[in-house]
Amino acid sequence: SCGPATLALKGSDGSSMRTAVEGMKDERRVMFWAFVFGTTGFMVTVLCLVWIVIDEVVLALVCSGVLVACFVGLTWSTRRILRRFEAPESSAMARAGVISGEEFVRKSQVVE
């Protein structure tokens, strides 16, 4: 198989890991916006269906309020998660201080 996980495990000098991390970092923003547009489109569709299907205005308003509250909660949660896992542009295995694969294996071996 191919992908970031496979790419990260290949190579002995650590460059494959760097390439995998850089690729995942680049795709993170695209996936985030795909999630935002998909979720917003779904919520708007459900809101329209509520007003089309439900005849009682009060019940439609209650359902709309619940949907808006869910959307606000989802937006808050998404922003919180995005801030928690946000990596500075200068990071993503900053060029300085990256060790090679051989050096990592050597340092991680347990001395008996």
Side-chain angles (χ1 to χ4, degrees):
S1 84
C2 63
T6 304
L7 181 64
L9 296 175
K10 294 182 180 177
S12 60
D13 64 349
S15 64
S16 297
M17 176 66 88
R18 185 177 304 112
T19 303
V21 170
E22 289 291 334
M24 288 188 291
K25 183 181 173 195
D26 291 342
E27 294 299 320
R28 180 178 54 106
R29 185 164 308 281
V30 173
M31 296 311 305
F32 172 74
W33 285 111
F35 172 76
V36 167
F37 288 132
T39 304
T40 302
F42 176 76
M43 290 290 195
V44 169
T45 301
V46 171
L47 191 60
C48 289
L49 284 172
V50 162
W51 285 96
I52 291 170
V53 172
I54 299 177
D55 293 329
E56 294 183 40
V57 175
V58 174
L59 187 55
L61 283 171
V62 169
C63 290
S64 297
V66 169
L67 280 171
V68 168
C70 288
F71 187 73
V72 168
L74 186 61
T75 302
W76 176 82
S77 180
T78 301
R79 284 182 169 206
R80 181 185 57 82
I81 291 169
L82 185 65
R83 271 188 253 119
R84 180 175 183 185
F85 293 107
E86 188 172 34
E89 289 298 322
S90 62
S91 81
M93 298 186 122
R95 305 296 180 237
V98 176
I99 63 172
S100 69
E102 294 171 357
E103 186 179 357
F104 176 77
V105 170
R106 189 176 59 249
K107 288 182 177 181
S108 66
Q109 290 177 345
V110 177
V111 179
E112 296 180 23

